[in-house]
Amino acid sequence: MKRHGNLWGKIIDLENIKLAHRMARKGKAFYNEVKMVNEDVEKYAKHIQDSLINKTFTTSPYEIEERSDGRKVRTIYKLPYFPDRIVQHALLNITGSLLIKSMIRDTYQSIPGRGTSDAARRVKELVRSTECPRYAIKVDIHKYYPSVDNELMKQCLRRHIKCKDTLWLFDDIVNSTQGLPIGNYTSQHLGNIYLNQFDWWMKQIVKPAAYFRYCDDIVIFSNSKEDLQTIRKQIEEKLTALKLKLKPNWTVYDVHTQGVDFVGYVFKPLRTRLRKNIAEKFKKACKNIRRSAPMINWDEALSVLMAYKGWVKRCNGRKLWRAEVSCLTNWFPKQLRGAV
């Protein structure tokens, strides 16, 4: 495995820091800190550059809050925009693509071109092919991000990077809290690297018929239920070395009759449908729009519907879309009806 060096000069380059600001501010133009940096980008970029060169930079204290998405409560960690978010973007501008090159094809999340749509397409192609194995097991790692061990995380980074200054900055971010803080720009990338060796072990040693991982959700295919049970036990042992453990809710699917649940869809040989809880959220969103019409902000309503349209168009969801949205279009302003 190639280890990368001579990265620090690129990370602290003033143009890279300015680029990091432009990337970090997307969708955040209303932040006071963004407006502050925009007033004198050169000055604030130079401030960040000096703090990195002199090693006076350290990750700021986190603002922590609990958020519920309806199914679970997550602890979200927030950092100041300046300097922390800019610094993290500057770091990954240079190292991100190098880390991605070491990953297997079928690991997803926070990888350009490899989001839920790519994962769904790849699984759908397998399930609909004549060579699809009969069974699949889905496993999920228990509290993955908070359970990541800091020292093991730093060891993982050293398998890919040998630049001491770059490792100093990574170490500072890793040491800023126990585990990977949900909300950090670096966390999803580091989460992939932490399981990178595990992915290669699955592909090269275990060698299942097919293997897909999206963050901490894993789906494995085989023509034998017994093989899948054996693989599950092997996974439990392997994850113990990483100080991780599986949730007890693992499921073995008969792909032909039950389909396999992954990245928000249930994949079957002849059709793909939305996962039930996502379909219910879509129906609820449409119901709320109907209740609020005609006083609703239609641009916001359209934004909500387009987000769900992205989900629906990748599955056999035309009937669901028509049933829920057709009665809304008459209320939409004329200029927005075509988009729906």
Side-chain angles (χ1 to χ4, degrees):
M1 182 183 294
K2 182 178 180 180
R3 296 173 68 228
H4 301 278
N6 300 318
L7 303 173
W8 190 240
K10 299 176 184 177
I11 292 169
I12 64 173
D13 181 79
L14 209 57
E15 292 307 311
N16 180 52
I17 296 172
K18 292 177 186 177
L19 173 62
H21 164 58
R22 293 196 296 273
M23 296 178 70
R25 73 184 179 184
K26 289 180 181 178
K28 303 177 180 67
F30 59 92
Y31 281 25
N32 289 331
E33 284 183 294
V34 173
K35 294 176 182 178
M36 176 189 75
V37 177
N38 282 339
E39 289 177 358
D40 194 340
V41 175
E42 191 78 24
K43 182 183 81 171
Y44 289 103
K46 188 67 169 63
H47 183 281
I48 289 174
Q49 184 187 54
D50 290 343
S51 70
L52 293 174
I53 291 172
N54 298 324
K55 301 291 193 301
T56 55
F57 171 83
T58 189
T59 302
S60 303
Y62 289 95
E63 180 184 329
I64 302 174
E65 64 179 61
E66 302 291 328
R67 290 185 190 171
S68 173
D69 62 4
R71 297 177 65 194
K72 59 179 73 174
V73 176
R74 300 181 186 276
T75 302
I76 306 298
Y77 293 75
K78 286 185 175 182
L79 284 172
Y81 176 81
F82 174 85
D84 296 84
R85 297 190 191 187
I86 299 174
V87 167
Q88 292 191 12
H89 274 269
L91 175 61
L92 288 176
N93 282 351
I94 306 304
T95 61
S97 60
L98 302 177
L99 296 175
I100 289 169
K101 286 179 181 178
S102 69
M103 298 175 190
I104 66 169
R105 173 62 181 88
D106 285 308
T107 187
Y108 304 88
Q109 192 191 35
S110 300
I111 300 176
R114 286 201 243 166
T116 55
S117 58
D118 183 51
R121 180 183 60 81
R122 298 270 291 181
V123 174
K124 184 190 296 184
E125 287 176 356
L126 173 64
V127 170
R128 294 188 175 185
S129 72
T130 56
E131 300 177 357
C132 179
R134 180 64 185 267
Y135 302 103
I137 186 170
K138 181 183 177 183
V139 297
D140 187 4
I141 298 173
H142 178 69
K143 294 186 178 178
Y144 175 50
Y145 277 22
S147 300
V148 167
D149 182 82
N150 289 21
E151 294 306 312
L152 291 178
M153 182 72 257
K154 289 186 280 187
Q155 290 177 27
C156 290
L157 286 166
R158 280 156 176 76
R159 296 190 188 100
H160 302 275
I161 295 171
K162 60 183 177 182
C163 175
K164 292 183 179 179
D165 291 319
T166 303
L167 288 171
W168 164 80
L169 181 53
F170 267 121
D171 287 353
D172 182 85
I173 295 169
V174 170
N175 289 334
S176 63
T177 187
Q178 177 55 49
L180 297 179
I182 298 173
N184 263 11
Y185 179 59
T186 54
S187 289
Q188 293 176 337
H189 299 266
L190 294 179
N192 281 333
I193 285 296
Y194 195 75
L195 288 176
N196 192 40
Q197 271 198 315
F198 172 84
D199 290 337
W200 283 108
W201 169 77
M202 286 293 304
K203 298 287 283 188
Q204 296 178 334
I205 306 300
V206 180
K207 297 181 180 179
Y211 168 83
F212 302 89
R213 180 175 67 83
Y214 188 95
C215 190
D216 58 341
D217 289 335
I218 298 168
V219 171
I220 304 159
F221 288 80
S222 174
N223 280 312
S224 166
K225 286 185 177 181
E226 291 73 22
D227 284 349
L228 291 176
Q229 294 288 9
T230 300
I231 290 172
R232 177 183 61 80
K233 292 175 183 177
Q234 289 176 298
I235 289 174
E236 287 177 338
E237 293 177 6
K238 188 70 174 178
L239 290 180
T240 298
L242 292 171
K243 300 187 180 180
L244 302 172
K245 61 181 180 179
L246 293 181
K247 289 182 180 178
N249 63 343
W250 53 268
T251 307
V252 176
Y253 298 96
D254 184 317
V255 178
H256 292 180
T257 59
Q258 297 173 283
V260 57
D261 186 324
F262 189 55
V263 293
Y265 298 95
V266 177
F267 300 93
K268 290 185 177 182
L270 297 179
R271 68 189 301 269
T272 301
R273 65 172 176 82
L274 272 180
R275 182 183 291 159
K276 184 176 180 180
N277 74 299
I278 296 176
E280 291 301 320
K281 285 182 180 179
F282 169 56
K283 292 177 183 178
K284 184 177 180 180
C286 291
K287 185 177 181 180
N288 289 337
I289 291 173
R290 288 194 293 271
R291 283 178 174 175
S292 303
M295 303 301 294
I296 195 170
N297 182 317
W298 287 110
D299 287 319
E300 291 181 5
L302 181 63
S303 177
V304 170
L305 292 177
M306 290 303 99
Y308 281 107
K309 191 172 185 178
W311 284 95
V312 173
K313 71 180 182 180
R314 293 194 290 267
C315 68
N316 301 103
R318 285 186 180 181
K319 288 183 179 180
L320 173 65
W321 181 262
R322 288 172 180 168
E324 296 299 325
V325 177
S326 59
C327 60
L328 298 175
T329 53
N330 290 334
W331 290 329
F332 267 74
K334 290 182 179 179
Q335 65 270 28
L336 298 181
R337 289 178 189 174
V340 181

